[in-house]
């Protein structure tokens, strides 16, 4: 029981050797004041255990975000946009994701602090925006947990629909809570195993998909690009493409967890860059190649793609449909088992992401102090228990109205990821400005983004355009047979798609009014507190000259990987 006691408080230190409370502004009768320096110092001196190794981070990067977004939601995206829209949207979001992860790696290797990107928003942008982004990200994972548990229960129904879902909700929830209560090392080991299974399954599907495409289905011969001509490569034109964009972004959710894990990594400088380099291969192999095969094997007008009970129903998975159409009997069950493991994995990540963000919010005075409780084993215990309690919402699975309830919960986090990624890119841009202001060179950074500051600009602009396109699709959605065309139905559809936007700005404006925070100026940015590496090896001129002599293929490989 001693391990559950609060960890000993570390002395709060910054680069100057100590921390002193900043002077409150002299405003008569007003005690509302946000101490930005205190927030920076507390997130830099967290008591979280640093037990994650390089192999944990690599597998989290390689397969950590593979879940219902790829396996299930891609089905409705194929139905609405067609195979060409599906492929192009994943390539586009993947390119922006690559830029974002490069920016995140540069920040996290230098500042492996608690809260990661939400803390960076507080430090480099505006404390009120950090508050909004932190709660935005926390709510996203809090509501993802019951959705993934529900997806697991629905996946079991594939084999036997008569089994009560509540039994499996209990089993999955207890398993997820147990993994997280055993500490960050148990989370890392569990994700290591889960990711190996998911990676193996996707590679196996790619090989099987090639065989099915060439060999054909039992009632037909060679398939090739048949479904790209009939029913066609694009559905619903440009609007169909815009609809698919958000689904693509949802599929990539979880890649940023590497940033949160940086605060619990034994050697971030060594482990993080090698893990980030896996992002290119994950985008290329798991998303682009796998979904290209899905588009070749499953026609976009296949009714089963939108025939699931909910957005988490694995029976609507295009991966399962592709294998079933080939006439195999055992492999669809194998694929469903993989989807089951994937949803448990994402549920596991949901508790990790929400609890770490909630603990960091509390340390920054953005949430009740009780959530900052970290025990002697380095676990944010209260935050883990709170996040786990939200998983109880999955018991609504046996209600007939559960789909409507979870649709509203999901709407709160539908665009949350885009705001998070956009904020990471903005933080990177602002950090580079502050770094240059202090007369430091880029060669002093322990890790530098391959795409530089222009990649972050591309990310910000790209995510903004995706959000605008989602608003357009919400105002004028693609018609569907079961769509409610009444005024109330159209209003409901609109808010289901854009609910995250007003929630984020309500958080931001309320915090802004209460604390009267200001946009952090370049000369006020703290690039010292929490900085892990002060002595960085600078390549000599002969080494740089040698790199310039590399052949083009080697330069491209080094840039991407």
């Amino acid at each position: 029981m001693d391990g559950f006691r609060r960890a000993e408080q570390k002395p709060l230190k910054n680069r100057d050797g100590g921390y002193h409370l900043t002077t409150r502004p002299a405003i008569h009768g007003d005690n509302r004041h946000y101490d930005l320096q205190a927030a920076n110092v507390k997130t830099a001196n967290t008591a979280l255990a640093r037990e994650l190794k390089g192999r944990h981070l690599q597998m989290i990067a390689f397969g950590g975000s593979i879940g219902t977004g790829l396996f299930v939601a891609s089905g409705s995206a194929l139905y609405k946009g067609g195979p060409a829209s599906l492929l192009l949207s994943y390539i586009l979001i993947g390119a922006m994701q690559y830029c974002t992860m490069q920016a995140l790696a540069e920040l996290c290797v230098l500042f492996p602090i608690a809260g990661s990107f939400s803390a960076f928003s507080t430090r480099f942008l505006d404390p009120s925006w950090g508050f909004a982004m932190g709660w935005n990200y926390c709510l996203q994972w809090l509501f993802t947990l019951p959705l993934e548990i529900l997806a697991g229960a629905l996946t079991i129904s594939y084999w036997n629909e008569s089994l009560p879902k509540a039994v499996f909700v209990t089993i999955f929830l207890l398993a997820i809570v147990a993994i997280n209560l055993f500490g960050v090392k148990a989370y890392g080991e569990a994700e290591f195993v889960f990711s190996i299974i998911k990676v193996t399954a996707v590679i196996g599907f790619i090989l099987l998909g090639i065989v099915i495409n060439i060999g054909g289905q039992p009632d037909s011969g060679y398939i090739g690009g048949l479904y790209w001509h009939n029913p066609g490569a694009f559905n619903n034109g440009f609007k169909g493409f815009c609809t698919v964009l958000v689904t693509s972004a949802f599929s990539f959710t979880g890649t940023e967890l590497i940033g949160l894990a940086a605060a619990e990594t034994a050697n971030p400088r060594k482990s993080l860059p090698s893990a980030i380099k896996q992002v290119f291969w994950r985008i290329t192999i798991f998303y682009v190649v796998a979904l290209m095969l899905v588009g070749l094997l499953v026609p976009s007008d296949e009714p089963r793609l939108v025939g699931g009970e909910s957005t988490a129903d694995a029976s609507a998975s295009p991966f399962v449909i592709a294998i079933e159409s080939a006439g195999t009997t055992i492999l669809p069950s194998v694929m469903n088992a993989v989807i089951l493991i994937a949803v448990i994995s994402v549920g596991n990540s949901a508790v990790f992401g929400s609890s770490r963000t909630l603990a960091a919010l509390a340390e920054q005075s953005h949430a009740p102090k009780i959530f900052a409780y970290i025990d002697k084993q380095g676990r944010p215990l209260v935050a883990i228990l709170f996040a786990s309690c939200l998983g109880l919402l999955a018991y609504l699975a046996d209600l007939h109205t559960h789909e409507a309830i979870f649709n509203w919960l999901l709407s709160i986090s539908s665009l949350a990821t885009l705001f998070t990624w956009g904020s990471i890119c903005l933080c990177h841009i602002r950090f580079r400005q502050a770094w240059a202001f202090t007369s430091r060179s880029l060669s002093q950074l322990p890790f530098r983004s391959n795409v530089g500051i222009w990649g972050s600009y591309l990310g910000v602009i790209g995510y903004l355009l995706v959000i605008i396109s989602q608003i357009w699709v919400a105002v004028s959605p693609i018609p569907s047979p079961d769509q409610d065309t009444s005024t109330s139905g159209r209003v409901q559809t609109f808010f289901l798609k854009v609910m995250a936007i007003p929630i984020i700005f309500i958080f931001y404006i309320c915090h802004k009014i209460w604390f009267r925070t200001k946009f952090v100026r370049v000369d006020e940015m703290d690039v010292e507190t929490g900085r892990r590496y002060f002595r960085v090896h600078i390549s000599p001129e002969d080494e740089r000259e040698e790199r310039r002599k590399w052949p083009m293929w080697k330069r491209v490989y080094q840039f991407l990987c």
Side-chain angles (χ1 to χ4, degrees):
M1 294 297 292
D2 187 61
F4 290 94
R5 298 182 185 275
R6 184 186 290 271
E8 295 181 7
Q9 184 68 40
K10 295 182 179 180
L12 299 181
K13 295 181 179 180
N14 55 17
R15 183 60 180 166
D16 299 326
Y19 162 71
H20 304 282
L21 286 171
T22 55
T23 306
R24 292 180 182 273
I27 302 176
H28 179 70
D30 188 0
N31 292 322
R32 291 178 289 181
H33 167 66
Y34 187 80
D35 194 338
L36 178 58
Q37 186 184 358
N40 294 340
V41 172
K42 288 178 180 178
T43 53
N45 293 275
T46 180
L48 293 171
R50 292 187 176 273
E51 295 182 342
L52 290 177
K53 301 292 191 295
R55 64 184 179 87
H56 297 137
L57 287 186
Q58 288 192 11
M59 292 312 296
I60 290 172
F62 215 47
S65 64
I66 297 176
T68 54
L70 174 63
F71 287 132
V72 182
S74 57
S76 63
L78 175 62
Y79 187 86
K80 293 177 181 178
S85 291
L86 182 68
L87 188 61
L88 288 175
S89 66
Y90 273 83
I91 291 174
L92 183 61
I93 297 293
M96 292 188 285
Q97 181 67 189
Y98 180 80
C99 297
T100 305
M101 295 307 296
Q102 288 287 318
L104 181 61
E106 183 175 309
L107 292 170
C108 288
V109 172
L110 190 64
F111 302 106
I113 60 177
S116 188
F117 30 85
S118 66
F120 294 148
S121 294
T122 299
R123 180 182 294 211
F124 297 121
L125 299 177
D126 182 348
S128 294
W129 189 249
F131 172 81
M133 286 299 96
W135 276 106
N136 162 62
Y137 192 72
C138 185
L139 289 175
Q140 169 192 331
W141 282 121
L142 286 174
F143 295 138
T144 296
L145 175 61
L147 182 69
E148 295 298 328
I149 295 174
L150 170 65
L154 291 174
T155 304
I156 294 293
S157 301
Y158 177 84
W159 292 289
N160 191 336
E161 294 184 0
S162 63
L163 293 174
K165 297 181 181 67
V167 174
F168 295 98
V169 167
T170 303
I171 294 172
F172 298 147
L173 181 60
L174 289 177
I176 291 170
V177 173
I179 290 171
N180 281 272
L181 285 179
F182 274 110
V184 70
K185 193 170 183 179
Y187 165 77
E189 294 293 350
E191 283 304 301
F192 183 78
V193 174
F194 291 152
S195 294
I196 287 177
I197 295 172
K198 290 186 287 185
V199 167
T200 304
V202 174
I203 293 175
F205 174 81
I206 290 173
L207 297 176
L208 178 63
I210 294 172
V211 172
I212 294 173
N213 186 263
I214 295 173
Q217 297 174 351
D219 56 347
S220 64
Y222 171 73
I223 300 174
L226 173 64
Y227 299 137
W228 282 58
H229 295 90
N230 182 23
F234 293 94
N235 282 350
N236 301 303
F238 182 67
K239 186 180 289 187
F241 172 73
C242 291
T243 303
V244 175
L245 280 173
V246 175
T247 304
S248 306
F250 175 72
S251 300
F252 283 101
T253 301
T255 52
E256 70 287 336
L257 283 171
I258 301 177
L260 284 178
E264 300 177 70
T265 302
N267 189 349
R269 183 180 177 183
K270 179 181 178 182
S271 303
L272 272 174
S274 60
I276 292 296
K277 289 178 181 178
Q278 308 299 330
V279 172
F280 171 75
W281 294 111
R282 184 172 49 101
I283 293 170
T284 304
I285 297 175
F286 298 145
Y287 290 93
V288 175
V289 176
L291 290 171
M292 180 181 68
L293 283 168
V294 163
L296 291 173
L297 298 174
V298 182
S300 58
D301 58 356
E302 168 62 61
R304 286 178 291 177
L305 291 171
V306 288
E309 289 185 29
S310 72
T311 55
D313 192 345
S315 64
S317 168
F319 292 81
V320 175
I321 293 171
I323 298 173
E324 284 180 339
S325 299
T328 57
T329 55
I330 298 177
L331 290 180
S333 294
V334 173
M335 198 66 212
N336 267 278
V338 172
I339 294 175
L340 181 60
I341 292 171
V343 298
I344 295 174
S345 171
V346 176
N348 190 33
S349 296
V351 175
F352 175 82
S354 58
S355 62
R356 268 55 178 185
T357 304
L358 192 56
L361 285 170
E363 289 179 337
Q364 297 173 81
S365 301
H366 287 328
K369 290 183 179 179
I370 186 65
F371 291 121
Y373 184 97
I374 299 176
D375 64 16
K376 289 187 176 181
Q377 296 185 36
R379 301 170 298 188
L381 201 58
V382 176
I384 290 175
L385 293 176
F386 177 77
S388 302
C389 288
L390 268 292
L392 297 174
L393 289 172
Y395 282 106
L396 298 172
D398 284 323
L399 295 179
H400 294 295
T401 57
H402 79 268
E403 184 176 358
I405 296 171
F406 281 103
N407 281 341
W408 280 107
L409 292 178
L410 190 61
S411 70
I412 295 174
S413 58
S414 59
L415 298 177
T417 304
L418 295 172
F419 279 94
T420 298
W421 293 341
S423 293
I424 291 171
C425 294
L426 272 177
C427 289
H428 181 236
I429 294 169
R430 296 284 290 164
F431 160 73
R432 283 288 188 92
Q433 293 173 350
W435 193 255
F437 180 81
T438 56
S439 302
R440 291 183 171 92
S441 68
L442 296 179
S443 59
Q444 292 177 274
L445 295 172
F447 177 83
R448 198 187 327 173
S449 168
N450 286 339
V451 292
I453 195 171
W454 295 110
S456 294
Y457 276 115
L458 175 65
V460 171
I461 295 171
Y463 295 132
L464 181 61
L465 291 176
V466 174
I467 291 172
I468 292 173
S469 70
Q470 179 68 357
I471 295 174
W472 173 51
V473 172
V475 172
S476 178
I478 296 173
S480 59
D482 58 344
Q483 181 179 332
D484 186 355
T485 56
S486 64
T487 303
S488 60
R490 293 177 68 89
V491 171
Q492 179 177 324
T493 300
F494 174 80
F495 279 105
L496 281 173
K497 291 183 180 295
V498 300
M499 179 66 77
I501 298 176
I503 288 178
I504 288 171
F505 284 101
I506 287 172
F507 273 113
Y508 175 71
I509 292 170
C510 290
H511 189 275
K512 191 79 160 173
I513 293 173
W514 183 261
F515 286 103
R516 299 188 179 93
T517 59
K518 296 180 180 180
F519 193 73
V520 182
R521 299 195 310 268
V522 172
D523 60 319
E524 295 175 335
M525 291 183 193
D526 184 357
V527 294
E528 299 293 340
T529 305
R531 186 176 162 196
R532 186 77 176 267
Y533 304 102
F534 288 89
R535 295 180 181 179
V536 179
H537 169 71
I538 300 177
S539 303
E541 183 60 34
D542 57 345
E543 186 176 330
R544 290 196 290 270
E545 182 64 29
E546 180 67 25
R547 286 175 177 264
R548 282 193 284 268
K549 293 180 181 179
W550 282 356
M552 181 57 70
W553 69 267
K554 193 171 183 179
R555 290 188 208 175
V556 173
Y557 180 84
Q558 183 69 19
F559 176 80
L560 294 174
C561 312

